[in-house]
Amino acid sequence: MDLVTLNDIRDAAERIRDAVVRTPLLPCPWADPGRPLWAKPESLQPIGAFKLRGAHNAIARLDERTRRRGVVAYSSGNHAQAVAYSARHFGVPAHIVMPDVTPQVKIDRTRECGAEVVLVPIAERESAADELVADRGAVLVPPFDHQDVIAGQGTAGLEIIADLPDVDVVLIPVSGGGLASGIGTAIKALSPDVQVIGVEPELAADTRDGLAAGARVDWPVERRSRTIADGLRSQPSELTFAHLSRVLDGVVTVGEREIRSAMAALASRARLVAEPSGAVALAAYLDHAGELPAGRTAAVISGGNVDPTLMVEMLTEHAAPARG
């Protein structure tokens, strides 16, 4: 199996430079002074999440004739928006399969990019995408199970090391594993001593179990779908698991209340809007410090496409009591 290399990631960085925001690494002075924290807000990408990096790199790598046939993707939302956005950039049609439980804000924004959206039960999204590929003659752009997608996501790792060369710990959300595979590959190639820690919900902890067992572990989709972090309900492929086995130094799992609290903390302290999936890295930092290596820590805030009603609920739930 061919794994992504540092050169692949560097090539991807050149390829996507004009389409992707080079997000800053923001210091968090409100964090534990004994464990300095920086946030990498991928929520500031044009589509509100890191997925644009991988989708744009994959579509850019297609030859023009293939690209004109159109692209297909299946996604709970952020990869959907990324493929739709990049397809519009290249002037090609996009057909996106989304679970029928996807937050409406993600469905609407995908359609705003000009994509055709097909809603199906969550367990049918991959088979529905395969049918579209066969019917339309289009090209599938997977959310994580592809070298070009992983290389694109890894460009965020190049930026972390460039902005904080003496970083000690990097916290990365894990679901299908493309983001952690890419960032972890870049970081381990450039700074092998940095501790790369994956973070996933307790209710979707298949990566934790798989790494402990030394092989992928299957959690039924119904079990993974219990978490509020709708972007973290997938599980690694053979390709991403091979990367994760090589680059992750550990996995921390976080609870549902911890995710909700981290969303509120990002909004009130960092002035950043994060969806539940985007807040898990901070949840690990805030609530599981004892499980983490010490030192300068970077937390990847992977996305900010949160349903407005949920955001208001989080802020109300965790508002500081009035003083009188």
Side-chain angles (χ1 to χ4, degrees):
M1 182 183 300
D2 292 332
L3 300 188
V4 169
T5 67
L6 179 61
N7 284 338
D8 294 330
I9 296 170
R10 284 174 166 161
D11 289 345
E14 290 297 318
R15 197 173 291 119
I16 69 176
R17 175 180 293 177
D18 295 333
V20 172
V21 172
R22 189 194 188 288
T23 54
L25 200 58
L26 301 176
C28 301
W30 43 267
D32 180 357
R35 188 188 294 266
L37 176 68
W38 286 259
K40 178 71 168 170
E42 286 296 289
S43 52
L44 301 181
Q45 292 294 345
I47 57 95
F50 76 94
K51 290 285 191 178
L52 183 59
R53 296 176 183 267
H56 199 85
N57 187 51
I59 295 174
R61 287 267 288 161
L62 298 173
D63 64 76
E64 186 174 350
R65 183 176 180 180
T66 301
R67 200 185 294 145
R68 283 201 302 267
R69 288 157 42 197
V71 293
V72 172
Y74 57 89
S75 166
S76 61
N78 288 333
H79 180 64
Q81 293 176 71
V83 171
Y85 183 94
S86 292
R88 184 176 64 181
H89 172 89
F90 288 106
V92 300
H95 314 284
I96 312 295
V97 177
M98 306 180 77
D100 52 14
V101 294
T102 300
Q104 189 64 41
V105 63
K106 295 184 179 182
I107 297 172
D108 292 343
R109 289 176 182 169
T110 303
R111 286 176 171 152
E112 287 168 6
C113 289
E116 173 194 356
V117 174
V118 178
L119 299 177
V120 299
I122 190 169
E124 298 176 14
R125 57 184 183 173
E126 294 185 36
S127 60
D130 290 339
E131 290 178 9
L132 279 172
V133 168
D135 292 344
R136 307 295 176 88
V139 178
L140 180 67
V141 181
F144 50 84
D145 189 27
H146 197 287
Q147 284 91 343
D148 291 337
V149 172
I150 293 171
Q153 318 304 25
T155 60
L158 300 180
E159 296 169 11
I160 291 172
I161 294 298
D163 290 348
L164 191 65
D166 57 352
V167 65
D168 297 302
V169 184
V170 179
L171 305 176
I172 313 169
V174 178
S175 179
L179 180 64
S181 294
I183 291 180
T185 296
I187 288 174
K188 287 298 187 181
L190 294 169
S191 298
D193 292 336
V194 174
Q195 297 290 289
V196 179
I197 307 297
V199 185
E200 61 184 349
E202 291 174 357
L203 297 182
D206 50 281
T207 298
R208 176 202 62 192
D209 288 358
L211 292 177
R216 288 191 301 155
V217 172
D218 180 45
W219 280 36
V221 66
E222 295 81 9
R223 187 179 181 189
R224 289 178 271 125
S225 296
R226 297 172 299 161
T227 179
I228 191 176
D230 59 285
L232 301 182
R233 293 171 178 168
S234 296
Q235 51 190 10
S237 64
E238 290 185 10
L239 177 63
T240 54
F241 190 81
H243 284 83
L244 297 175
S245 299
R246 175 177 291 190
V247 302
L248 288 188
D249 295 293
V251 175
V252 171
T253 62
V254 294
E256 299 297 288
R257 289 186 61 82
E258 293 166 349
I259 295 171
R260 296 162 76 97
S261 179
M263 289 174 64
L266 282 165
S268 62
R269 294 181 165 187
R271 310 300 189 265
L272 292 172
V273 173
E275 61 193 277
S277 306
V280 297
L282 181 66
Y285 174 89
L286 293 176
D287 296 296
H288 295 266
E291 301 173 43
L292 298 174
R296 294 170 293 274
T297 301
V300 179
I301 312 304
S302 57
N305 292 314
V306 60
D307 183 276
T309 302
L310 177 61
M311 193 72 240
V312 171
E313 180 183 324
M314 297 303 100
L315 293 174
T316 302
E317 179 180 309
H318 295 278
R323 297 181 179 179

